[in-house]
Amino acid sequence: RYDRRKIVVSTNVSETSLTIDGVRTVIDSGLARVARFDPNRGIDTLLIEKISHASADQRAGRAGRTAPGICLRLWRERDQEHRPAQETPEILRRDLAEVLLTLKASGVGDPRAFRWLEPPEPKSLDRAAALLTDLGALDGSGEITPTGRSMLNFPVHPRYARMLLAASELRCVPSVALIAALTQGRGILPRAAGRPVEEERESILGHDPHSDFFALMRAWHYADGMHYDVEACRALGIHAQSARQAKPLYEMFLRLAKQAGLDLRTEDAPPDAVARCVLLGFSDQVARRLDRGTLRCELVHGRRGNLARESVVQDAELFVAAEVVEIGGREVTVLLNHCTAVEEEWLRELFPHAFRVENVAFYDAPNRRVAGEERTVFRDLVLRSRRTEKLPREQAAALLAAEVAAGRLTLTHWDHALEQWIVRLNRLGQWMPELALPPLALEDRELLLQQALLGASSYREIKDRPIANAVRSWLSASQQAQVERFAPERVNLPNGRKFKIQYDDTAAPVVAVRIQDLYGVEKPLTIAGGRVELVIQVLAPNHRPIQVTTDLQNFWANSYPEIKQQLQRRYPKHEWR
């Protein structure tokens, strides 16, 4: 008991696991940092979220355990109504690699058919299976491998289990065991310790620009040598209690490694060997600095992030991040922590099938041409590239076709007449399905364009290229004849005159004819074997529309007399019947 009041600041861990005698008042922010795994990007996220009703009740229950108490909630009462009843189960928001490996070892062939209490997201299972395959724990058919069974000897995430097995081959088990222990709990080197503290740490422990793990290990050895003295550790920015908690884990991993028959040599391991082990455990998180002026990086699987400012690998072009976490705040940031510099030759040596050199084409918009690059790629991460004149013909044609299809490049001979032919084909297929004409969709146009533009690499080469024959080749000669017969470009009037038909994707086809050219025409004008009546736009002598109709007989009987009176005075020189 104390003579004066105290304030206990706690996290959501205290909701269920902590009871402090004498607590009378709880002030609840209604928020919590929640760890989630994003299977779409393969990263862990740590975002601030609103707590559920159940969590709020748990927090309120901290007050008045031993005497009456109150809880002050720092949110509006109406906000409470919109909060979820329960927290999302952990299996729906965390990485499932360890769970999946255990299931595979237990003989569960299809994890989707397993009787889960809470079925996980399929994407999460797919991501876990991909990771275990990368680690060599599963084979190509999804069955567990001997390596996967050996990984189960270590009660850590499969990444670290794989690192321990690799460490046996590279003779650096103690170092990797210590890394595994240091990453299981709270970090022993808190962020933002301050520049003076960091300089003091470097002066005593030294600086190694190859791995953040090396800095962690030196700090732990210092804390262990000082018997975890709080003041001595604080002077170097080391969290003494976290370092102390890592020791039994370290000893446990060493015992497990010994039981598994791993080589436990105690002499100092070469830094390259430890770095290779880290790479084997995190090959799906290889990253490359985009430029020296910023901390922006590109990762495997199309992800991007920022290298942590306190990381020691600031000068490394390639590195592997053991922690990729999305941190929420005013701006969401993907932060790369616990990084280790790696060499390109290690990628070639350890992952020969994931390493390739390829020639690709890309569209150079300012110069309106396709350019080529020779790219050195690890999985889907471009390590370096250089311009080349070797252009894959199909890629170049596809890129130019996409620009034409998007309307950013125009072709002289892709004109209104060609567009009308495509509409005629598609509409005739609707009007006369028995002809079995293949419709020409937007994606089909791009395919035909690609074929027509093969061999070209610039807009200048394709601008005036003949294109109509390539498009019409979509149909056989007999099918083209059917289009001309049943959906003609022009309609013939009984007086021998021909007029162009305007086709539309959805509306009825239209023909515009001067009133004098319609004299003697009383029957409907039709196409498609008489199934489709043309809409007739009747024009005055000045070619402006005065009537729209499909019923000429009714037009002559009812509308024409009045129109004739109006127009005959204005155009007396024209023929009026």
Side-chain angles (χ1 to χ4, degrees):
R1 297 186 179 276
Y2 300 93
D3 296 331
R4 56 181 181 175
R5 301 181 71 180
K6 284 195 171 186
I7 297 175
V8 178
V9 180
S10 65
T11 67
N12 43 321
V13 173
S14 67
E15 290 175 19
T16 58
S17 63
L18 182 64
T19 298
I20 298 177
D21 188 27
V23 173
R24 299 290 184 268
T25 303
V26 167
I27 301 175
D28 186 1
S29 68
L31 303 172
R33 285 192 181 273
V34 179
R36 296 182 183 274
F37 180 75
D38 185 344
N40 294 311
R41 288 172 293 169
I43 63 174
D44 289 308
T45 63
L46 190 63
L47 302 178
I48 297 175
E49 300 180 3
K50 295 179 179 180
I51 62 174
S52 67
H53 284 257
S55 182
D57 291 343
Q58 285 278 5
R59 292 185 181 188
R62 299 301 97 191
R65 282 284 175 110
T66 57
I70 62 171
C71 176
L72 303 177
R73 291 176 172 171
L74 304 183
W75 65 93
R76 297 180 183 275
E77 187 174 1
R78 64 171 177 266
D79 183 22
Q80 177 77 355
E81 300 174 2
H82 301 291
R83 298 193 173 210
Q86 303 286 340
E87 301 297 324
T88 304
E90 189 170 1
I91 197 169
L92 298 180
R93 56 182 174 85
R94 298 306 301 269
D95 183 10
L96 299 180
E98 193 170 356
V99 174
L100 182 58
L101 184 60
T102 302
L103 288 176
K104 289 290 185 179
S106 302
V108 177
D110 182 6
R112 287 179 174 79
F114 184 71
R115 297 177 63 184
W116 301 89
L117 291 177
E118 290 281 352
E121 293 289 337
K123 283 186 178 180
S124 297
L125 286 172
D126 292 342
R127 169 67 189 177
L131 173 58
L132 292 175
T133 302
D134 286 344
L135 295 175
L138 299 181
D139 60 22
S141 61
E143 298 299 321
I144 191 168
T145 64
T147 298
R149 293 192 182 278
S150 298
M151 288 163 60
L152 287 169
N153 292 324
F154 307 98
V156 289
H157 190 280
R159 293 184 185 276
Y160 291 99
R162 181 67 185 92
M163 287 170 57
L164 285 166
L165 294 178
S168 181
E169 299 176 10
L170 298 173
R171 298 183 180 180
C172 55
V173 169
S175 296
V176 172
L178 180 55
I179 288 174
L182 292 173
T183 54
Q184 301 309 302
R186 180 179 177 181
I188 69 170
L189 293 178
R191 298 184 64 188
R195 188 60 190 166
V197 172
E198 292 174 357
E199 290 176 350
E200 180 68 13
R201 183 194 306 157
E202 285 188 15
S203 68
I204 294 177
L205 304 182
H207 175 75
D208 188 328
H210 296 99
S211 177
D212 294 328
F213 286 129
F214 297 163
L216 285 175
M217 288 190 288
R218 287 196 304 273
W220 182 84
H221 282 298
Y222 176 83
D224 185 58
M226 299 299 293
H227 304 291
Y228 310 105
D229 180 79
V230 174
E231 294 303 322
C233 289
R234 183 183 293 122
L236 300 189
I238 301 172
H239 195 281
Q241 184 62 23
S242 297
R244 183 191 299 274
Q245 292 170 353
K247 185 167 186 177
L249 285 174
Y250 174 46
E251 293 172 343
M252 179 192 71
F253 288 136
L254 290 177
R255 287 196 305 271
L256 292 172
K258 184 176 181 180
Q259 293 170 7
L262 303 189
D263 185 352
L264 298 184
R265 291 197 335 165
T266 57
E267 61 263 25
D268 291 338
D272 284 4
V274 178
R276 287 170 186 252
C277 292
V278 175
L279 175 56
L280 282 165
F282 293 90
S283 64
D284 60 323
Q285 293 180 180
V286 171
R288 178 180 68 87
R289 289 284 294 274
L290 290 176
D291 52 68
R292 291 294 180 182
T294 70
L295 297 172
R296 296 182 306 122
C297 303
E298 202 168 44
L299 289 87
V300 170
H301 300 317
R303 296 167 293 171
R304 289 202 173 189
N306 292 330
L307 177 63
R309 293 187 179 278
E310 62 271 19
S311 175
V312 301
V313 301
Q314 300 292 323
D315 295 327
E317 183 176 348
L318 283 177
F319 63 90
V320 59
E323 183 181 79
V324 181
V325 61
E326 188 176 78
I327 298 177
R330 291 186 177 179
E331 294 184 2
V332 176
T333 303
V334 176
L335 201 61
L336 311 182
N337 284 311
H338 293 166
C339 301
T340 300
V342 298
E343 301 292 337
E344 183 180 313
E345 63 183 69
W346 299 355
L347 300 178
R348 293 177 181 271
E349 175 189 337
L350 298 174
F351 309 98
H353 300 297
F355 200 96
R356 67 185 185 278
V357 177
E358 61 185 18
N359 287 322
V360 297
F362 65 94
Y363 184 67
D364 181 357
N367 294 312
R368 298 204 291 185
R369 63 178 295 110
V370 176
E373 275 188 350
E374 181 185 89
R375 295 176 178 173
T376 302
V377 182
F378 173 68
R379 294 185 178 153
D380 63 345
L381 177 64
V382 178
L383 303 182
R384 62 177 180 278
S385 61
R386 66 178 183 87
R387 286 293 184 97
T388 178
E389 297 300 321
K390 297 179 181 179
L391 292 178
R393 296 174 73 247
E394 291 77 11
Q395 284 189 31
L399 289 168
L400 290 172
E403 293 299 308
V404 174
R408 291 185 288 270
L409 297 179
T410 57
L411 302 181
T412 303
H413 299 294
W414 192 293
D415 52 16
H416 179 71
L418 188 55
E419 287 285 353
Q420 279 286 286
W421 185 87
I422 295 173
V423 177
R424 289 159 59 194
L425 161 62
N426 290 338
R427 294 292 274 159
L428 183 58
Q430 299 168 6
W431 296 329
M432 303 183 71
E434 68 273 16
L435 298 179
L437 296 174
L440 188 55
L442 289 175
E443 57 270 22
D444 301 321
R445 295 188 190 195
E446 197 165 332
L447 178 63
L448 289 173
L449 271 172
Q450 291 179 29
Q451 297 173 353
L453 303 182
L454 273 176
S457 61
S458 68
Y459 178 51
R460 183 168 53 184
E461 294 177 74
I462 67 171
K463 181 180 179 181
D464 298 319
R465 180 170 290 195
I467 205 79
N469 288 339
V471 175
R472 291 174 186 269
S473 68
W474 184 253
L475 301 181
S476 65
S478 61
Q479 289 173 327
Q480 291 183 40
Q482 289 173 333
V483 172
E484 299 303 324
R485 177 184 175 188
F486 295 112
E489 183 180 6
R490 298 174 183 271
V491 61
N492 295 324
L493 299 187
N495 57 19
R497 293 181 178 272
K498 295 182 178 181
F499 292 91
K500 184 174 290 187
I501 303 171
Q502 184 66 35
Y503 291 86
D504 188 90
D505 289 322
T506 54
V510 176
V511 60
V513 185
R514 284 193 319 145
I515 193 168
Q516 280 78 16
D517 292 321
L518 286 171
Y519 288 155
V521 182
E522 296 189 357
K523 293 182 179 181
L525 301 180
T526 64
I527 58 174
R531 300 183 190 181
V532 178
E533 291 187 353
L534 298 179
V535 174
I536 302 170
Q537 197 176 70
V538 183
L539 305 180
N542 64 354
H543 293 278
R544 292 184 177 179
I546 55 173
Q547 185 83 25
V548 176
T549 183
T550 58
D551 188 348
L552 285 173
Q553 193 171 20
N554 180 66
F555 168 76
W556 294 123
N558 298 306
S559 302
Y560 179 67
E562 183 179 348
I563 291 174
K564 177 182 176 181
Q565 288 183 2
Q566 296 175 2
L567 295 180
Q568 193 171 21
R569 291 191 298 268
R570 296 170 59 188
Y571 304 100
K573 295 183 180 181
H574 286 76
E575 179 187 5
W576 298 102
R577 296 182 185 176

